[in-house]
């Protein structure tokens, strides 16, 4: 527990945050670290009634039971744009305000998507292993797939999807997108049918939020439509893809390869994926640059300050 002034609102931290952000919060507010409690039930019985705010992240989330057990909870402030791990309806039922960190991470997440795309297309990670393992001395590295002229299908054309579209357009790729609605102010082709988009795409890039509405949106049928020359890129959430169907599509050559930053049960990655050279795996690093994580930390702190100063949030969910 960290204590500041007796008047400082008490906050519950669900899991560890970026060290500088955690330190800033702990020196400004009275805080409790939930993940360090030996017995969370006893801990909440003792301290629960003081807690006015929860600080969490897209990864740590916040369960409905916890929200319902805190009688004086007023706000949940989250570090991250995705809030699928937070029980939003439990919070809304109790009139608890919620904020996330949209906008500040779009460029870095889009860079990650593009990095995975160019890596799977040209086999950069596999080529690196090839050189390191001394294979260049004995054989030729297989040819890759050109980007220019190919179609990138973007599933979810929000701010991150648009930043991806901008990047792939600069590489002379054609862009089409799938989403709930056609957008009137974008120069990209709308495809209202996800399977049709997959069949037209050389690269299918996922940029939709996680949660019930998109759970297993990418299933065996969509992967079959993407086809044996198609690549899947996922920087969204592992839950968007039926991971077992993806593993089997890769094993059977139903799709050409995949670039994955997110997984169904992070940090667990299915063993077969670890053994495939046509799959590039990154450890959910989408927004992970010094600059962007600092911007996310600043926005998280600003939301807290605003809420406890005048009851407002800069970026409410
Ligand atoms: C972060 C993310 O890795 O913003 C999100 O939704 O998935 C990532 O930017 C995560 O929130 C940090 O814990």
């Amino acid at each position: 527990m960290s204590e500041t002034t007796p008047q400082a609102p008490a906050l519950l931290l669900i899991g560890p945050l970026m060290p500088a952000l955690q330190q800033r919060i702990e020196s400004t507010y009275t805080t409790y670290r939930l993940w360090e409690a030996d017995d969370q039930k006893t801990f909440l019985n003792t301290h629960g009634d003081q807690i006015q705010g929860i600080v969490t992240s897209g990864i740590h989330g916040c369960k409905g039971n916890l929200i319902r057990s805190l009688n004086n909870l007023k706000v949940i402030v989250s570090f991250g744009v995705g809030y699928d791990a937070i029980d939003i309806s439990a919070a809304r039922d109790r009139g608890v305000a919620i904020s996330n960190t949209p906008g500040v991470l779009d460029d870095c997440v889009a860079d990650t998507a593009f990095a995975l795309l160019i890596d799977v297309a040209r086999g950069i990670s596999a080529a690196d292993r090839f050189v390191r393992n001394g294979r260049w001395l004995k054989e030729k590295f297989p040819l890759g797939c050109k980007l220019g002229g190919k179609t990138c299908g973007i599933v979810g054309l929000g701010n991150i999807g648009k930043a991806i579209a901008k990047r792939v357009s600069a590489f002379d790729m054609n862009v089409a997108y799938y989403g709930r609605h056609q957008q009137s102010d974008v120069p990209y082709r709308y495809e209202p049918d996800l399977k049709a988009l997959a069949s037209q795409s050389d690269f299918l890039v996922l940029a939709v939020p996680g949660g019930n509405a998109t759970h297993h949106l990418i299933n065996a049928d969509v992967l079959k439509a993407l086809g044996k020359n198609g690549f899947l890129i996922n920087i969204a959430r592992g839950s968007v893809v039926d991971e077992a169907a993806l593993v089997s599509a890769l094993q059977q050559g139903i799709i050409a390869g995949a670039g994955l930053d997110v997984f169904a049960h992070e940090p667990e990655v299915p063993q077969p994926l670890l053994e495939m050279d046509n799959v590039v795996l990154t450890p959910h690093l989408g927004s992970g640059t010094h600059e962007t994580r600092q911007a996310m930390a600043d926005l998280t702190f600003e939301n807290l300050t605003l809420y406890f100063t005048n009851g407002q949030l800069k970026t409410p969910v």
Side-chain angles (χ1 to χ4, degrees):
M1 178 191 170
S2 86
E3 244 181 311
T4 51
T5 61
Q7 296 79 23
L11 305 179
L12 182 66
L13 274 50
I14 304 287
L17 297 165
M18 239 177 81
L21 172 63
Q22 189 170 315
Q23 207 262 325
R24 198 172 173 200
I25 293 172
E26 289 181 336
S27 58
T28 312
Y29 298 91
T30 299
T31 53
Y32 296 95
R33 298 177 177 179
L34 184 62
W35 74 98
E36 284 181 356
D38 292 329
D39 174 0
Q40 293 196 355
K41 216 169 152 196
T42 313
F43 172 85
L44 291 169
N45 281 340
T46 317
H47 303 292
D49 280 351
Q50 291 174 53
I51 289 165
Q52 297 186 46
I54 284 179
V55 187
T56 187
S57 73
I59 305 297
H60 301 315
C62 188
K63 295 208 166 31
N65 284 348
L66 179 61
I67 295 171
R68 285 185 287 271
S69 73
L70 299 173
N71 296 322
N72 294 310
L73 181 66
K74 296 187 175 70
V75 67
I76 300 172
V77 170
S78 184
F79 174 90
V81 68
Y83 46 82
D84 49 299
I86 300 173
D87 191 332
I88 299 291
S89 68
R92 299 248 195 266
D93 284 351
R94 297 205 138 217
V96 171
I98 310 154
S99 70
N100 64 342
T101 60
V104 294
L105 45 68
D106 304 338
D107 283 339
C108 281
V109 177
D111 289 349
T112 301
F114 189 72
L116 288 171
L117 189 152
I118 199 163
D119 192 330
V120 285
R122 300 298 305 275
I124 305 297
S125 295
D128 179 85
R129 290 189 290 272
F130 180 89
V131 174
R132 286 174 202 269
N133 294 340
R135 290 176 59 194
W136 194 15
L137 301 168
K138 294 173 258 172
E139 48 185 316
K140 292 243 182 296
F141 189 71
L143 301 180
C145 163
K146 181 178 176 180
L147 300 188
K150 296 286 163 49
T151 296
C152 179
I154 300 180
V155 181
L157 198 70
N159 291 338
I160 294 173
K162 284 179 186 146
I164 295 168
K166 188 171 153 192
R167 283 154 179 73
V168 299
S169 300
F171 278 70
D172 298 329
M173 297 181 76
N174 308 307
V175 176
Y177 70 99
Y178 165 84
R180 276 169 302 175
H181 312 289
Q182 179 159 15
Q183 301 185 36
S184 53
D185 53 349
V186 295
Y188 314 117
R189 188 171 59 78
Y190 179 58
E191 174 50 73
D193 183 288
L194 177 57
K195 262 208 289 181
L197 179 75
S199 70
Q200 296 151 17
S201 297
D202 300 288
F203 298 87
L204 191 66
V205 184
L206 311 181
V208 280
N212 291 340
T214 58
H215 185 259
H216 287 194
L217 190 65
I218 305 302
N219 56 24
D221 283 350
V222 175
L223 294 167
K224 197 167 160 210
L226 180 58
K228 64 178 174 30
N229 297 318
F231 296 91
L232 182 77
I233 310 296
N234 191 6
I235 48 81
R237 283 289 183 264
S239 61
V240 178
V241 177
D242 177 344
E243 207 167 65
L246 174 63
V247 168
S248 121
L250 286 161
Q251 282 169 330
Q252 294 173 47
I254 289 169
I255 66 168
L260 308 170
D261 187 47
V262 288
F263 303 87
H265 307 289
E266 296 173 13
E268 302 292 330
V269 175
Q271 184 63 31
L273 296 181
L274 303 177
E275 292 157 16
M276 293 176 186
D277 239 7
N278 56 340
V279 175
V280 179
L281 306 164
T282 50
H284 199 147
L285 55 71
S287 64
T289 61
H290 292 293
E291 297 83 350
T292 288
R293 288 287 167 87
Q294 187 58 53
M296 291 164 69
D298 290 345
L299 184 50
T300 303
F301 195 82
E302 197 179 344
N303 273 309
L304 269 179
T305 310
L306 271 177
Y307 189 84
F308 287 109
T309 314
N310 63 15
Q312 306 282 309
L313 287 167
K314 184 167 182 191
T315 47
V317 167

